[in-house]
């Protein structure tokens, strides 16, 4: 009598397998592709603009202080900056920096600085292009961003639609999930009785009324919340720095030595200088977003007199995000004696940052940090909505489609709270990375437009004028821009300084 041998059951794909596969793709993608492309593009834009991020740092600051008015019923330059800042300054500054330091060591912070300084030029170019090629939307507002400069600059609506779809998924879904996932982890670690799904429900109740109100509603909230929460976080870091001022030289030495692999004791859990570079670049990119094509969606909505003005303002946003806010997180963590230990990954993400603040300032800071992180996440979710909504409009979405997307984004805020952290981060890295590759290729091709606008801006500054942009028959530009955007109302008082030309008004131009 034969004995039947049961067939071996096929191995089912586990969540751990999915996580391992995504992390492998993520690591290879950043190690061999996106990191090099971002650095190369940033260096290229720095050279082409003659170091605009350094030469015009003062202009950036002055532009922000005078940008709250002049929107004429639309979205002001400052509101667009605040929306961009709200999306930039989020969990990437709290959890992302902590992850970079744990896995890449203190040296990862140095490479975040490098990426930011180079990326300021990239942010300038992409946000300037968003202004040059924007279109007029409803209710005195503008719509702009990569989808629009692909369509109006390269003449390809098809590729613009591809970008718009990718942006809606990556920013409106995966980035939102990263934010809410980290927030749920912080609250659950602080109060174990509060389950992650409870955090998700609370976020849904807060987010839905605002995002369903549209872009202007989001802009009104973020112009107040975003600057205040960034300032509050930096003030916390300054207090920590003053308390530990004697330890600052030691920490700065660790950052530099770790960046170049001088001291093996400073390696992160991933080990080596490569880990420091990759984690610093990856988390720096996720935090400041320079080159990804996300922030231009906010930059293109502003009503300004010259595209370069908004380009400079958004470039300064990279400085605020990384050089100020990310550095604040890094110093808070590295100045601890018990919370952070090189090579120890038992505590990671936003929980590590929260515990570091508690070590410095005491247990009473636990709940204030929870509240601060909550506001960071909430404002970033609103910023993600504004980015995605611009692309929903590009694809032909009217008011009903905008509201439908608001429902999708609200659902993503809940979904993020119940998924595992590594999977969410890996999905987001990959989605944003693909978005960045497409955007970088496009803005390199459109660089002459941004350079021409910069020369036009600088020429008017040299003449002592308040720069005003004219998009037709402008000798600095490769061609004319879209009709009806840059002729009026700004061109009305413009004096054409080209030889043989005099003053003209907007009616004559029309």
């Amino acid at each position: 009598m034969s004995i039947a041998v049961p067939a071996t059951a096929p191995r089912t794909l586990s969540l751990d397998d999915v996580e391992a596969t995504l992390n492998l793709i993520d690591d290879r993608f950043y190690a061999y592709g996106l990191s090099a492309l971002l650095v190369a593009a940033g260096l290229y834009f720095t050279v082409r603009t003659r170091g605009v991020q350094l030469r015009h740092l003062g202009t950036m600051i002055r532009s922000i202080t005078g940008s709250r008015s002049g929107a004429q019923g639309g979205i002001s330059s400052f509101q667009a900056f605040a929306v961009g800042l709200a999306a930039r300054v989020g969990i990437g500054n709290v959890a992302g920096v902590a992850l970079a330091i744990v896995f890449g060591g203190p040296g990862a912070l140095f490479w975040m600085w490098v990426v930011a300084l180079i990326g300021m030029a990239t942010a300038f170019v992409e946000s300037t292009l968003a202004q040059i090629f924007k279109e007029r939307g409803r209710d005195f507002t503008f719509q702009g961003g990569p989808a629009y400069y692909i369509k109006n600059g390269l003449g390809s609506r098809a590729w613009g639609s591809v970008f718009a779809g990718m942006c809606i998924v990556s920013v409106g879904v995966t980035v939102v999930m990263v934010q809410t996932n980290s927030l749920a982890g912080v609250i659950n670690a602080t109060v174990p009785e509060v389950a992650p799904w409870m955090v998700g429900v609370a976020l849904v109740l807060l987010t839905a009324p605002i995002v369903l109100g549209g872009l202007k509603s989001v802009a009104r909230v973020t112009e107040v919340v975003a600057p205040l929460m960034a300032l509050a976080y930096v003030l916390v870091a300054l207090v920590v720095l003053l308390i530990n001022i004697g330890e600052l030289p030691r920490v700065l030495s660790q950052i530099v030595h770790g960046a170049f692999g001088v001291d093996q004791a400073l390696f992160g859990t991933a080990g080596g200088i490569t880990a420091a570079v990759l984690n610093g670049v990856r988390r720096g990119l996720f935090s400041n977003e320079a080159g990804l094509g996300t922030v231009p969606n906010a930059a293109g909505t502003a009503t300004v007199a010259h595209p370069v003005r908004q380009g400079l303002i958004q470039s300064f946003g990279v400085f605020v995000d990384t050089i100020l806010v990310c550095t604040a997180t890094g110093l808070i963590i590295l100045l601890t004696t018990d919370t952070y230990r090189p090579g120890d990954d038992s505590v990671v993400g936003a929980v590590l940052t929260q515990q570091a603040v508690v070590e410095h300032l005491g247990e009473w800071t636990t709940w204030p940090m929870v509240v601060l992180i909550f506001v960071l996440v909430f404002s970033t979710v609103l910023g993600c909505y504004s980015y995605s909504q611009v692309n929903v409009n590009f694809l032909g979405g009217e008011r009903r489609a905008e509201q439908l997307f608001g429902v999708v984004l609200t659902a993503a805020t809940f979904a993020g709270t119940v998924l595992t952290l590594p999977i969410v981060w890996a999905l987001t890295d990959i989605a944003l990375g693909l978005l960045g590759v497409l955007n970088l290729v496009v803005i390199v091709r459109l660089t002459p437009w941004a350079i021409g606008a910069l020369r036009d801006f600088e020429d008017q500054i040299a003449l002592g004028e308040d720069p005003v942009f004219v998009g037709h028959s402008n000798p600095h530009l490769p061609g004319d821009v879209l009709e009806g955007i840059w002729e009026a109302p700004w061109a009305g008082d413009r004096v054409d300084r080209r030889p043989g030309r005099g003053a003209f008004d907007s009616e004559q131009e029309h």
Side-chain angles (χ1 to χ4, degrees):
M1 182 178 67
S2 62
I3 300 175
V5 179
T8 303
R11 184 174 179 271
T12 58
L13 190 66
S14 68
L15 201 60
D16 289 339
D17 293 330
V18 174
E19 181 179 319
T21 302
L22 287 174
N23 283 330
L24 179 62
I25 296 172
D26 188 13
D27 289 338
R28 297 289 174 85
F29 182 33
Y30 275 83
Y32 302 110
L34 187 60
S35 297
L37 186 60
L38 282 164
V39 171
L43 290 172
Y44 171 73
F45 294 132
T46 298
V47 172
R48 288 296 307 271
T49 61
R50 296 178 295 121
V52 65
Q53 66 268 53
L54 301 177
R55 292 190 301 112
H56 283 292
L57 186 60
T59 309
M60 295 177 190
I61 298 172
R62 289 191 297 272
S63 296
I64 290 174
T65 58
S67 62
R68 297 199 61 164
S69 59
Q72 300 183 350
I75 292 173
S76 73
S77 184
F78 183 82
Q79 286 178 323
F81 167 74
V83 169
L85 187 64
R88 279 190 176 114
V89 181
I91 211 66
N93 301 82
V94 179
V97 176
L99 286 169
I101 291 175
V102 168
F103 294 111
L109 189 60
F110 176 88
W111 295 110
M112 292 182 78
W113 295 339
V114 172
V115 168
L117 290 174
I118 294 174
M120 287 177 71
T122 307
F124 166 79
V125 170
E126 62 182 355
S127 292
T128 300
L129 290 173
Q131 275 289 318
I132 292 174
F133 294 109
K134 67 186 179 182
E135 296 180 5
R136 191 172 296 279
R138 300 191 301 270
D139 303 328
F140 301 101
T141 62
F142 290 102
Q143 305 287 343
Y148 291 88
Y149 54 68
I150 291 173
K151 173 194 168 190
N152 298 325
L154 296 183
S156 176
R157 182 174 180 84
W159 276 106
S161 298
V162 169
F163 184 94
M166 291 171 61
C167 187
I168 291 168
V169 173
S170 60
V171 177
V173 178
T174 62
V175 172
V176 168
M177 289 195 297
V178 162
Q179 303 292 322
T180 60
N181 182 280
S182 296
L183 174 64
V186 169
I187 294 179
N188 183 248
T190 305
V191 187
E193 294 81 9
V194 179
W197 69 266
M198 297 178 184
V199 179
V201 170
L203 282 170
V204 166
L205 294 175
L206 285 172
T207 303
I210 298 175
V211 300
L212 294 178
L215 187 56
K216 281 189 176 182
S217 175
V218 171
R220 284 193 297 269
V221 173
T222 54
E223 79 167 322
V224 176
V225 173
L228 285 179
M229 56 99 179
L231 179 61
Y233 191 65
V234 171
L235 287 176
V236 170
L238 286 176
V239 171
V240 171
L241 188 61
L242 289 174
I243 293 173
N244 300 276
I245 194 68
E247 293 295 311
L248 186 59
R250 174 186 63 82
V251 169
L252 293 176
S253 175
Q254 287 181 348
I255 292 171
V256 175
H257 288 170
F260 298 99
V262 175
D263 189 348
Q264 292 187 6
L266 300 175
F267 288 168
T269 58
I273 184 174
T274 302
V277 174
L278 290 181
N279 280 281
V281 170
R282 183 183 309 180
R283 295 303 156 216
L285 166 64
F286 178 82
S287 179
N288 66 52
E289 304 181 39
L292 295 184
T294 51
V295 174
N297 292 287
T301 64
T303 303
V304 292
H306 202 289
V308 166
R309 188 75 71 182
Q310 193 63 26
L312 293 173
I313 287 175
Q314 297 296 352
S315 178
F316 187 71
V318 175
F319 181 89
V320 172
D321 173 88
T322 306
I323 305 301
L324 296 183
V325 183
C326 285
T327 299
T329 298
L331 293 179
I332 287 172
I333 293 171
L334 295 174
L335 283 167
T336 61
T337 55
D338 296 323
T339 304
Y340 168 72
R341 296 184 180 90
D344 180 11
D345 62 354
S346 59
V347 181
V348 297
V351 176
L352 175 61
T353 305
Q354 181 195 31
Q355 293 185 4
V357 173
V358 169
E359 179 182 328
H360 290 299
L361 302 179
E363 290 289 340
W364 70 270
T365 61
T366 299
W367 275 105
M369 277 300 296
V370 170
V371 173
L372 180 60
I373 292 171
F374 186 93
V375 175
L376 285 169
V377 168
F378 180 60
S379 64
T380 301
V381 169
L382 296 183
C384 290
Y385 168 80
S386 69
Y387 292 173
S388 303
Q389 186 251 19
V390 168
N391 290 280
V392 170
N393 288 341
F394 180 86
L395 293 176
E398 294 299 327
R399 182 61 180 158
R400 186 169 298 176
E402 293 176 17
Q403 291 178 331
L404 177 61
F405 173 71
V407 173
V408 171
L409 179 137
T410 304
T413 65
F414 179 82
T417 62
V418 296
L419 293 176
T420 62
L421 181 62
I423 288 180
V424 174
W425 276 102
L427 281 172
T428 303
D429 280 344
I430 294 169
L432 285 177
L434 292 172
L435 202 66
V437 169
L438 177 56
N439 182 63
L440 287 172
V441 171
V442 171
I443 62 177
V444 166
R445 290 188 60 185
L446 293 175
T447 301
W449 289 89
I451 300 301
L454 178 59
R455 289 173 179 164
D456 180 68
F457 181 86
E458 291 177 337
D459 282 355
Q460 293 182 63
I461 290 288
L463 293 170
E465 299 175 352
D466 188 12
V468 174
F469 186 70
V470 176
H472 290 257
S473 301
N474 189 321
H476 294 293
L477 300 180
D480 293 339
V481 299
L482 195 67
E483 293 280 351
I485 302 299
W486 289 109
E487 297 91 350
W490 304 111
D493 299 324
R494 169 76 183 269
V495 175
D496 195 334
R497 301 288 182 176
R498 285 171 284 156
R501 298 289 296 274
F504 60 89
D505 58 30
S506 57
E507 291 182 357
Q508 291 171 327
E509 282 296 291
H510 288 149

